[in-house]
Amino acid sequence: MKKPIKKTWMIASALTIGMAVLTPLQAGATAVEPTNAVTVQIEQQITGTIKSVHGDGINLKARDGKNYFISFFKFSDEQLEQMNLVEGQEITVEGGVVEDYLDFYTFEVYKKDLPKNVPNDELTKLEKMFSEVKKLEKEASNAITNKKMDEAEKKYEEMNKIYEEMNKITKPYYLASWQPQPFEEFLEDYGFSENNIVIAENDKKELKAIYEEWVKLEKDGQDEKAKEKMKGFNKILQPYLDELYPTPTFEEYIGRLDLIDIPAETITKLKNIYEDVRKAEREENYDLFGEIWAEFHDILGQFIIPQTFEEYMSSFEFKVSNADSKQLKQLYEEILKLDRKEDSAKIEEKWEAFYNILEPYFEAIKAILISASKITINGQNYLPQ
């Protein structure tokens, strides 16, 4: 079971309306054509310095001057912990080039986390379904690139249906090998004691009883009853979670933003909406939460002091030519002058022109994608387990 995650209360820049910064196209894979006409990837060896560390890989600046993204999907969490990857560390990687981030998550990676008792005939079914999911995933990604959002949504709906069928196959095997945590250990993982938050004895007793009932329901495959049981668990725990992850007050929240003066009546309206947002979150009404939060941002966005052009450009790793900088600054300032609601189509059009100018710069620094099959750090070799 996953622990509930407290939402981070944050606001997106008003400048991102209608245009997201997309990951540039990645380098094609180096390949050979064997006699049987099957294309295979060539393993490469790259040595370089870690620029940044992510949960599933690293950005690497190699000695050859190129940028790489190295995926560690094939390696276990225990191995990654042993590697203790940090920025600035030198590392040598062997692996194959892939064309897309989606290609990192293969069936072999998926199978690695399955229970060991899944029989071969079930694995065959799962592999076929997994291949269909990957096909739909790429089709959805292409639809988004071409701004065909309805088509992408249909593809994701199809993917979810297949995942549900895959879960029906795998769940009995997960349950058969599942060893639930003792209640005390489960509760300890929240981090209450580390933050000196004491749970009342009567609440702890009730939580333990609910937890044990939830375990029985999960083992019996009674999903809906198990979900309802855990809702009761979370309801008791919520005040302690609020103490552990305090949500900022309205005043604290807007105090963190660079804003022009907001009229008193607008402040009152925003404060009321903010309280409605918090209420929807507490009640786990996430559809309403998203709707009200969007309304809050629409109003507040009118009063956010936007970044200067120079501040905006400082977030990129590259420098642009003077001629391009002049064009970009003009477009940027034109965007700031447009009304976000009335001129949304114009804003999107200008953002598209803005990023068309930047595309060659993204292309020049694009990362080559490597699926790692061997890692060497400080003379220590790691191979996928």
Side-chain angles (χ1 to χ4, degrees):
M1 175 201 159
K2 293 182 180 178
K3 304 286 192 297
I5 298 173
K6 198 73 174 173
K7 285 187 166 53
T8 301
W9 292 64
M10 57 191 295
I11 190 165
S13 166
L15 298 174
T16 59
I17 298 297
M19 174 62 71
V21 180
L22 302 176
T23 303
L25 298 174
Q26 307 304 325
T30 306
V32 293
E33 193 76 17
T35 54
N36 63 0
V38 177
T39 301
V40 296
Q41 303 299 332
I42 295 176
E43 292 280 304
Q44 296 190 22
Q45 185 179 89
I46 305 110
T47 297
T49 304
I50 298 175
K51 292 169 60 181
S52 57
V53 181
H54 306 277
D56 57 357
I58 58 170
N59 286 311
L60 187 75
K61 186 69 174 182
R63 289 178 182 174
D64 62 12
K66 297 177 183 177
N67 295 306
Y68 293 85
F69 180 83
I70 313 297
S71 165
F72 294 140
F73 264 136
K74 295 176 183 175
F75 294 82
S76 68
D77 291 341
E78 292 76 14
Q79 286 178 301
L80 293 176
E81 191 173 338
Q82 289 170 13
M83 292 180 200
N84 192 27
L85 301 163
V86 293
E87 291 181 25
Q89 190 175 35
E90 185 168 275
I91 184 172
T92 297
V93 177
E94 291 183 23
V97 179
V98 301
E99 295 182 356
D100 193 288
Y101 286 93
L102 299 176
D103 297 328
F104 287 136
Y105 192 61
T106 64
F107 181 71
E108 288 305 310
V109 174
Y110 167 80
K111 189 170 69 172
K112 183 163 61 77
D113 292 326
L114 288 176
K116 303 303 180 189
N117 56 343
V118 180
N120 288 333
D121 60 329
E122 299 283 41
L123 288 174
T124 301
K125 292 178 190 175
L126 289 167
E127 185 168 14
K128 184 178 179 182
M129 296 164 85
F130 184 89
S131 297
E132 183 60 25
V133 165
K134 297 301 289 184
K135 177 175 172 287
L136 289 166
E137 191 176 35
K138 287 201 172 185
E139 289 172 353
S141 179
N142 290 334
I144 290 172
T145 300
N146 295 316
K147 298 183 179 180
K148 298 179 180 179
M149 305 312 292
D150 289 343
E151 182 181 332
E153 188 174 347
K154 288 178 183 176
K155 298 294 181 185
Y156 283 123
E157 287 174 0
E158 291 180 55
M159 284 169 55
N160 287 335
K161 288 178 183 176
I162 297 173
Y163 271 129
E164 286 174 8
E165 292 304 310
M166 292 173 73
N167 288 336
K168 287 178 184 177
I169 293 173
T170 59
K171 184 161 185 178
Y173 301 102
Y174 278 115
L175 288 176
S177 59
W178 180 41
Q179 295 295 325
Q181 289 175 286
F183 168 73
E184 290 74 14
E185 184 181 311
F186 180 83
L187 196 63
E188 186 68 24
D189 284 348
Y190 282 92
F192 293 121
S193 60
E194 296 168 20
N195 292 273
N196 299 316
I197 297 171
V198 179
I199 297 177
E201 282 303 316
N202 59 324
D203 283 339
K204 190 178 287 188
K205 185 177 179 180
E206 191 171 354
L207 286 167
K208 184 175 182 179
I210 293 173
Y211 178 77
E212 290 172 352
E213 290 173 19
W214 172 79
V215 167
K216 289 178 184 176
L217 291 168
E218 283 285 353
K219 283 188 171 183
D220 291 341
Q222 299 187 54
D223 295 347
E224 292 305 316
K225 287 185 178 179
K227 286 178 185 175
E228 287 303 313
K229 190 62 63 177
M230 193 45 66
K231 281 183 182 178
F233 186 95
N234 290 334
K235 187 174 181 180
I236 296 170
L237 207 60
Q238 192 59 54
Y240 301 102
L241 288 170
D242 289 340
E243 187 178 351
L244 184 63
Y245 304 109
T247 299
T249 65
F250 171 73
E251 290 75 16
E252 288 171 338
Y253 182 77
I254 66 168
R256 298 172 184 175
L257 304 172
D258 291 327
L259 302 169
I260 60 176
D261 289 338
I262 304 177
E265 62 272 19
T266 305
I267 285 284
T268 301
K269 184 176 182 180
L270 283 168
K271 188 170 185 177
N272 290 336
I273 296 173
Y274 189 83
E275 293 305 319
D276 289 341
V277 167
R278 294 183 62 180
K279 182 173 182 290
E281 184 189 25
R282 286 193 299 271
E283 295 174 354
E284 298 184 8
N285 188 343
Y286 296 119
D287 288 338
L288 181 61
F289 174 92
E291 182 183 326
I292 303 173
W293 198 225
E295 181 186 358
F296 181 86
H297 281 242
D298 280 342
I299 298 171
L300 189 60
Q302 303 169 45
F303 302 97
I304 292 176
I305 300 173
Q307 290 177 299
T308 65
F309 171 72
E310 290 73 21
E311 287 170 338
Y312 189 81
M313 293 300 295
S314 68
S315 62
F316 299 116
E317 293 182 35
F318 49 76
K319 299 293 182 185
V320 301
S321 69
N322 289 335
D324 284 341
S325 181
K326 186 175 180 181
Q327 288 186 66
L328 289 164
K329 186 170 185 177
Q330 182 178 340
L331 284 165
Y332 187 85
E333 291 176 350
E334 287 172 359
I335 289 166
L336 295 185
K337 291 176 183 176
L338 292 170
D339 184 286
R340 290 193 309 138
K341 287 188 176 179
E342 295 182 7
D343 301 312
S344 59
K346 286 183 181 178
I347 289 173
E348 184 171 349
E349 183 182 317
K350 289 186 181 295
W351 272 127
E352 188 167 351
F354 187 95
Y355 279 97
N356 282 341
I357 295 171
L358 290 181
E359 183 58 36
Y361 297 97
F362 284 121
E363 184 72 15
I365 66 162
K366 68 184 178 183
I368 300 169
L369 307 181
I370 300 287
S371 180
S373 55
K374 181 180 177 181
I375 305 292
T376 304
I377 305 173
N378 299 325
Q380 175 71 47
N381 293 328
Y382 297 88
L383 297 170
Q385 291 179 343

